[in-house]
Amino acid sequence: MPVIPSGALGALDPTSDRAVFRQIADQLREAIDKGRFSEGDKLPSETELVEHYGVSRMTVRNSLSVLQGEGLVFSEHGKGVFVRPRPPVRRLASDRFARRHREQGKSAFTVEADAAGSHPTVDNLEVKEERPSQDIATRLGGPRRVLARHRRYLLDGRPVEFATSYLPLDIARGTQIAEPNPGPGGIYARLEELGHRLDHFEEEIRARMPAPSEVRTLRLAAGVPVIHLIRTAFDTGGRAVEVCDTVMAADAYVLAYQLPAT
Amino acid sequence: MPVIPSGALGALDPTSDRAVFRQIADQLREAIDKGRFSEGDKLPSETELVEHYGVSRMTVRNSLSVLQGEGLVFSEHGKGVFVRPRPPVRRLASDRFARRHREQGKSAFTVEADAAGSHPTVDNLEVKEERPSQDIATRLGGPRRVLARHRRYLLDGRPVEFATSYLPLDIARGTQIAEPNPGPGGIYARLEELGHRLDHFEEEIRARMPAPSEVRTLRLAAGVPVIHLIRTAFDTGGRAVEVCDTVMAADAYVLAYQLPAT
DNA sequence: CAGTGGTCTAGACCACCGT
DNA sequence: CGGTGGTCTAGACCACTGT
């Protein structure tokens, strides 16, 4: 029985130079783009596509793997291949570290999540002294060892980012910053109490495909890149007092910045 | 003859639950990470890997496609599979639209490229009036039609980004902004001459896998995401006077922002 | 020309899912 | 249990590359 919605998918063009698996991928992609399959919908099964197009199963699978690589669909073993829904995105505003927010005593992540009606969680918290990578050391002015605060953030149970903050030992050792819970307002509030009044932050943003370990940590679907953000905090003396290295699931974020025109 | 560098790749673990093609991909990835294959190096051919591991060719190809999806390698028909080199990245500083740069008469792209010793080119320039998408219209305050300036940027011959600027017709129509060459300092200089003194910009950043048309336009390799940047320029009256929609090859860029701590 | 990757076939067995 | 996707085999022919 032909279970493919009538008209949803056309026929192959045998005269075309385009590879068969690409033609099939094109037709499926177009059907998704035009809403003939909606978010969460199940695509025709591999067997159905094999019958519809009269090709071998490997060819069909090749087509589907193209769409997976583009992040358009995901597969579930024993169930089917589905159109990937666009998850809700978290918007990071450029004033998210403004003192006025900090002074209300909550962390930036928690404040935003609450505002968006989501349930935030922090996970895998680990605080320890480490030897920093060359890059981190350079940004902090070259210390041999640093305090590292590792953690993972989840939104409604979904891991969306993991991050590590690095701080010079001469600033952080023995303070509340070296405790798992740094207290109200987070480590930036503690830094200011310790006399390091914050002046500005610098952020560097890259995007790339995730390493396998990042796929596991963020439970990333195929075809989802990561945003790699490195933020350095400077005090009013011009010293770099913290570097925060963050990897985010790109489908969960939009970053917003405001730039002066002057 | 075994042409695989001795010790570069190990043997399969038949007792492992991990799929054979994943084990092979893991070993190749590790060999690349550890520098046993360097940037630009050719990996062992599919035939050599088939012989080394004693598996079928499709299994080997499956392994290689995993690495391609991660952006670690690229293939050239008839030549081989190679370790993908990290291309030089272009750094976009958050002050790149500062008035002091604009007043020197060059566009932001040209100034930066020259500074980096690269040869910049602009391509596929097209200026016309259009009906804006819902999103663009909303950002500009809801005009029915806008002036659109499409173009593509190349660095040393490589396409790295394409962009479209949208401006309200009541501002741009009939001015030099509607000409292919907007003159020294670019459209922002013209906007200020027209009385729209710029106050600030807002930028929104997303990362995702490219659509097929973006792969073509930017000649993207497999496993390279794009950075999607939407910038809105506001004049001192608080009006949005331009929206620039930019898609960048993510492997060619690092974005840098400076945020106040106040 | 021989060697490379690109495409495709026609099977096979397995693990997972829901009924 | 039947249907689904996950893995793998052992071929085949092709197009592209370099010598």
Side-chain angles (χ1 to χ4, degrees), chain B residues 79-106:
Chain B
K79 296 170 79 173
V81 178
F82 303 86
V83 179
R84 203 154 69 78
R86 305 264 161 237
V89 296
R90 202 161 89 85
R91 184 188 173 87
L92 295 191
S94 56
D95 70 346
R96 64 192 184 280
F97 296 116
R99 198 168 284 116
R100 65 180 178 283
H101 295 161
R102 197 157 60 241
E103 283 163 353
Q104 296 170 10
K106 289 181 171 180

Side-chain angles (χ1 to χ4, degrees), chain B residues 51-260:
Chain B
E51 288 166 1
H52 178 84
Y53 287 111
V55 298
S56 80
R57 188 168 161 231
M58 282 309 297
T59 302
V60 162
R61 281 183 62 76
N62 207 346
S63 309
L64 292 170
S65 82
V66 169
L67 299 181
Q68 273 210 36
E70 293 171 5
L72 283 181
V73 305
F74 66 95
S75 62
E76 291 194 17
H77 197 165
K79 296 170 79 173
V81 178
F82 303 86
V83 179
R84 203 154 69 78
R86 305 264 161 237
V89 296
R90 202 161 89 85
R91 184 188 173 87
L92 295 191
S94 56
D95 70 346
R96 64 192 184 280
F97 296 116
R99 198 168 284 116
R100 65 180 178 283
H101 295 161
R102 197 157 60 241
E103 283 163 353
Q104 296 170 10
K106 289 181 171 180
S107 79
F109 184 79
T110 309
V111 169
E112 288 182 81
D114 287 345
S118 304
H119 177 62
T121 322
V122 180
D123 200 334
N124 291 353
L125 188 61
E126 195 178 1
V127 184
K128 58 184 193 215
E129 298 187 3
E130 289 180 9
R131 204 171 73 84
S133 71
Q134 178 65 57
D135 178 61
I136 299 294
T138 302
R139 290 171 195 269
L140 283 175
R144 295 254 187 81
R145 293 184 65 77
V146 295
L147 181 78
R149 298 181 52 90
H150 304 270
R151 71 276 190 193
R152 185 173 70 158
Y153 295 100
L154 303 89
L155 232 42
D156 299 324
R158 188 206 158 180
V160 292
E161 92 178 63
F162 64 90
T164 304
S165 287
Y166 300 93
L167 298 102
L169 286 184
D170 70 286
I171 294 178
R173 181 183 263 170
T175 73
Q176 201 172 353
I177 293 173
E179 303 296 322
N181 181 354
I187 63 173
Y188 293 146
R190 295 298 83 70
L191 281 170
E192 299 219 316
E193 289 166 6
L194 291 166
H196 295 281
R197 186 168 174 83
L198 297 178
D199 182 74
H200 69 280
F201 301 93
E202 287 179 7
E203 297 198 340
E204 282 186 9
I205 300 169
R206 293 172 177 78
R208 55 173 170 75
M209 291 312 281
S213 70
E214 296 168 334
V215 170
R216 285 192 300 275
T217 304
L218 297 176
R219 284 188 230 131
L220 292 172
V224 179
V226 291
I227 296 173
H228 188 169
L229 189 157
I230 301 170
R231 176 179 54 253
T232 307
F234 293 88
D235 67 14
T236 49
R239 178 176 179 189
V241 292
E242 185 229 21
V243 172
C244 184
D245 185 300
T246 305
V247 176
M248 295 175 275
D251 63 355
Y253 282 92
V254 47
L255 310 185
Y257 291 93
Q258 181 154 328
L259 321 179

Side-chain angles (χ1 to χ4, degrees), chain A residues 19-22 54-59 77-79:
Chain A
V20 172
F21 79 90
R22 292 192 198 282
V55 297
S56 80
R57 187 169 163 229
M58 280 311 296
T59 301
H77 197 163
K79 296 171 77 174

Side-chain angles (χ1 to χ4, degrees), chain A residues 150-161:
Chain A
H150 304 271
R151 71 276 190 194
R152 185 172 70 159
Y153 294 99
L154 301 90
L155 231 42
D156 298 325
R158 187 205 159 181
V160 292
E161 93 180 62

